[in-house]
Amino acid sequence: MILPIYTYGQGVLRKTSEDITPDYSGLAQLVADMFETLAKSEGVGLAAPQIGKAIRVVVVDLDPLKDDEPQYAGFRRAYINPHILEYGDKTDSYDEGCLSLPGINEKVKRPTTIRLAWDDTDGTHHEEWVDGFLARVLQHETDHLEGKVFTDRLTPLRKQLVKKKLNTLARGHVSAAYRVKPPRG
Ligand code: NI
């Protein structure tokens, strides 16, 4: 089932998400719905707060990038209870967008490597160093689980420049090619 995406101004995007237990009711269906929603909106990552649930569940689909990055062919993964344990020393800047902030794209500076802990949908625990585009996507998505969005990470000047767009979104005026659930204006 395709779920509507909660957009900027919805309170759930500012909540700190909770870890879930492996017996969380309906988890398999939720993950399937999140993958379907992500594919429909042509995104690469989706965090549960973006579909209205303040729980630590993230889905990532990097298969659409396979022409430029062949190592991501078929890469679709659900991350349950992801937590960043450690950051590498190097940073880079890359253009980011977010399904919850349609119409906004800005360069964001982030560490290029992270060590991530997460569980898979079978409950198996993983800890791994991650780099490249995946590391960026996972930092963007785990930010959502901490109640952050990527524009929080802009320089004061860039923040000022996107403020009007953010205010428009927060008033519930949203234009997107996928189903959204904007805040009440
Ligand atoms: Ni996002």
Side-chain angles (χ1 to χ4, degrees), residues 24-37:
Y24 184 87
S25 175
L27 180 60
Q29 188 60 50
L30 175 71
V31 165
D33 288 347
M34 286 176 70
F35 273 120
E36 197 182 343
T37 301

Side-chain angles (χ1 to χ4, degrees), residues 11-30:
V12 68
L13 295 175
R14 290 308 191 185
K15 284 192 181 159
T16 303
S17 290
E18 304 274 352
D19 280 335
I20 60 168
T21 54
D23 61 350
Y24 184 87
S25 175
L27 180 60
Q29 188 60 50
L30 175 71

Side-chain angles (χ1 to χ4, degrees), residues 45-47 50 97-101 140-141 144 149-150:
L46 185 69
Q50 297 182 272
C98 179
L99 295 173
S100 294
L101 284 68
H140 177 116
E141 301 310 331
H144 278 301
V149 294
F150 77 93

Side-chain angles (χ1 to χ4, degrees), residues 11 16 18 34 43 61-62 70 74 88 92-93 96 102 110 134 138 148 158-160 162-163 165 178 180 184:
T16 303
E18 304 274 352
M34 286 176 70
D61 182 354
L62 299 188
D92 67 0
S93 287
E96 292 190 20
R110 296 186 188 272
L134 178 59
L138 287 169
K148 291 197 187 96
R158 295 307 307 177
K159 249 184 211 166
Q160 192 59 37
V162 299
K163 199 174 171 185
K165 284 184 181 174
Y178 42 88
V180 291
R184 286 162 173 272

